[in-house]
Amino acid sequence: MPFPSSRISGIVPSGKDGWEIHFAAWNRKQAGEDIIMLSVGDHDFDTPSETVEACVRAVRGGHHHYTQLPGIPALREAMAKVSTRTTGVPTSADQVLATPGGQAALYAAVQGTLDPGDHAVVVAPYYATYPGTFRAAGADFTVVEAAAEDGFQPRASEIEKALMKNSKAILLNTPNNPTGAVYSRASLEAIADLCRRRDLWLMSDEVYWTLGGGEHISPRALEGMAERTLVINSMSKSHGMTGWRIGWLTGPVDFITLLISLNLVSTYGINDFISHAAAEALNSDFGVERIAALYAGRRKVFLEAIRGINNIVVRGSEGGMYAMLDVRAIEPDSEKFAWSLLAAENVAVMPGASFGDAAEGHIRISLCQPDDVLKDAANRLRRFASSYGSKAA
């Protein structure tokens, strides 16, 4: 056959995307094995019933048609209200682009800010799709690692060292996946100052904004940043709607207006009846407080259960749906540790190396399991950690 484009061939150039352990564990679980899945951030509960019923009403109400390219007006208005509330910046509907999930919002932000050959800085640890999203745009990027010993707080001085003459943007994520770190005001103020001085776009992935253990601060709210910040958001985590694929991008009006053309040639709008249900869910906060309380409780249960395990240190883990465990004193190779844990104890976790070099020697624990399962997993991890050295020998 003819050759595919270098654009798609280079999105995952190594052929590995960090999910190999998860898929191997999932296949074993599907085959009937007793595997505890702590490797993926997908809720173990259904979407709130109020949202489901809103969707049923929308289907029965005839909302089966094409929608406006940037999203139906009711949905954009609802997203703008949430953006106003969560960032503290008055936001209008024409500053919002509705997208099929947060990943599509990230894709739009990268496509809208970077031309082929332009450069960006990505703060790590990062969500696993970030590098591929830049490659899909033909853009170059440099990863700047936030240190575990700093609680994974980014340092603006390190970011500035990585900037080049053709740098156009910085991408960060708070509350952070995979570490659960919630970036401090001081960290964000320093990065904002850098963006203003160097005239950079700041792409801020805030998908976990409701699941922080501390104060969530959007850099869009900082002085002089509304005109240069693009906020990536989603209903997947906050509203329990991972499979519904509803996200949005918030930014300056002129920028969002230009991005409507990207929807024209990519998504051609999003689902009609889901859009109406999502608008109702956003306006009524269906499930938001319950989901946030659930994960706060699970985080507490799991961290208490692993307390005192020799040579394992908790890093970050203030927010999001994850806990980040430093296992370097046991095994510095996070993939080796994760594969061995799966083989010995039937527990699937994500190796930190999947999220950048800063997370090497760590494992990410998804809290998307009930308390009793998390306690069981903690006990298996404790047993594994105590015997790993002798087994490895």
Side-chain angles (χ1 to χ4, degrees):
M1 72 176 186
F3 288 109
S5 72
S6 58
R7 182 180 301 107
I8 66 164
S9 302
I11 291 175
V12 186
S14 69
K16 291 181 64 178
D17 58 9
W19 290 91
E20 291 78 18
I21 292 174
H22 168 72
F23 290 126
W26 183 250
N27 288 336
R28 288 177 55 186
K29 187 174 181 66
Q30 292 295 97
E33 295 188 50
D34 175 25
I35 307 292
I36 297 180
M37 300 295 297
L38 303 182
S39 49
V40 68
D42 194 358
H43 306 296
D44 59 311
F45 50 83
D46 292 336
T47 299
S49 59
E50 301 96 326
T51 305
V52 174
E53 290 306 314
C55 187
V56 171
R57 288 194 300 272
V59 170
R60 290 177 174 163
H63 296 291
H64 312 150
H65 303 282
Y66 289 131
T67 60
Q68 293 94 326
L69 291 175
I72 64 172
L75 180 59
R76 295 179 82 193
E77 288 285 355
M79 289 171 167
K81 289 178 183 176
V82 170
S83 293
T84 298
R85 189 171 77 227
T86 59
T87 68
V89 179
T91 306
S92 59
D94 56 1
Q95 292 175 290
V96 169
L97 180 78
T99 61
Q103 175 59 37
L106 172 64
Y107 182 81
V110 171
Q111 291 287 329
T113 56
L114 299 167
D115 286 316
D118 283 343
H119 178 263
V121 172
V122 180
V123 177
Y126 50 70
Y127 179 53
T129 68
Y130 288 1
T133 306
F134 285 104
R135 294 188 192 108
D140 297 323
F141 63 93
T142 299
V143 175
V144 173
E145 312 285 354
E149 289 73 18
D150 291 338
F152 293 113
Q153 292 289 323
R155 293 188 180 186
S157 59
E158 296 301 312
I159 295 173
E160 186 160 21
K161 289 177 185 176
L163 292 175
M164 302 179 180
K165 289 183 179 179
N166 61 336
S167 296
K168 298 290 182 61
I170 298 169
L171 171 60
L172 54 78
N173 169 214
T174 179
N176 182 258
N177 173 15
T179 68
V182 179
Y183 292 172
S184 68
R185 180 176 292 274
S187 296
L188 293 173
E189 288 279 13
I191 294 171
D193 176 67
L194 177 58
C195 289
R196 292 188 295 265
R197 286 191 288 108
R198 297 291 293 264
D199 195 23
L200 300 171
W201 288 103
L202 181 60
M203 293 180 272
S204 181
D205 180 348
E206 301 179 25
V207 166
Y208 293 89
W209 93 95
T210 61
L211 302 179
E215 179 191 10
H216 167 60
I217 300 167
S218 172
R220 184 168 179 255
L222 303 180
E223 182 179 356
M225 290 303 291
E227 66 191 43
R228 64 179 66 256
T229 301
L230 304 174
V231 177
I232 294 114
N233 226 318
S234 166
M235 298 183 72
S236 291
K237 314 303 183 182
S238 56
H239 292 73
M241 296 173 65
T242 52
W244 296 63
R245 312 314 303 132
I246 293 287
W248 73 98
L249 184 70
T250 305
V253 172
D254 291 347
F255 184 85
I256 294 298
T257 300
L258 287 172
L259 275 182
I260 294 173
S261 299
L262 185 64
N263 276 8
L264 171 67
V265 298
S266 56
T267 66
Y268 205 77
I270 54 180
N271 181 287
D272 192 7
F273 52 86
I274 288 180
S275 294
H276 284 82
E280 191 170 335
L282 285 168
N283 286 327
S284 301
D285 287 332
F286 290 152
V288 172
E289 289 188 4
R290 181 180 65 82
I291 292 170
L294 178 69
Y295 282 109
R298 287 179 174 182
R299 188 180 307 112
K300 182 177 180 180
V301 164
F302 181 76
L303 294 181
E304 183 62 34
I306 64 167
R307 185 188 300 275
I309 297 182
N310 289 338
N311 296 320
I312 290 183
V313 179
V314 177
R315 304 288 189 184
S317 304
E318 298 100 347
M321 298 161 58
Y322 310 104
M324 198 70 163
L325 306 183
D326 185 339
V327 297
R328 286 176 292 181
I330 300 172
E331 172 56 68
D333 185 331
S334 60
E335 284 206 21
K336 182 178 179 181
F337 186 98
W339 280 114
S340 299
L341 177 62
L342 178 62
E345 295 289 350
N346 289 354
V347 176
V349 300
M350 284 293 281
S354 300
F355 309 101
D357 291 344
E360 176 59 292
H362 294 71
I363 56 172
R364 188 193 75 172
I365 304 293
S366 168
L367 302 175
C368 298
Q369 294 289 347
D371 289 359
D372 59 337
V373 175
L374 292 174
K375 290 177 181 178
D376 184 9
N379 289 333
R380 297 189 195 193
L381 179 60
R382 184 183 299 274
R383 183 168 60 214
F384 176 77
S386 67
S387 61
Y388 181 82
S390 59
K391 289 183 179 181

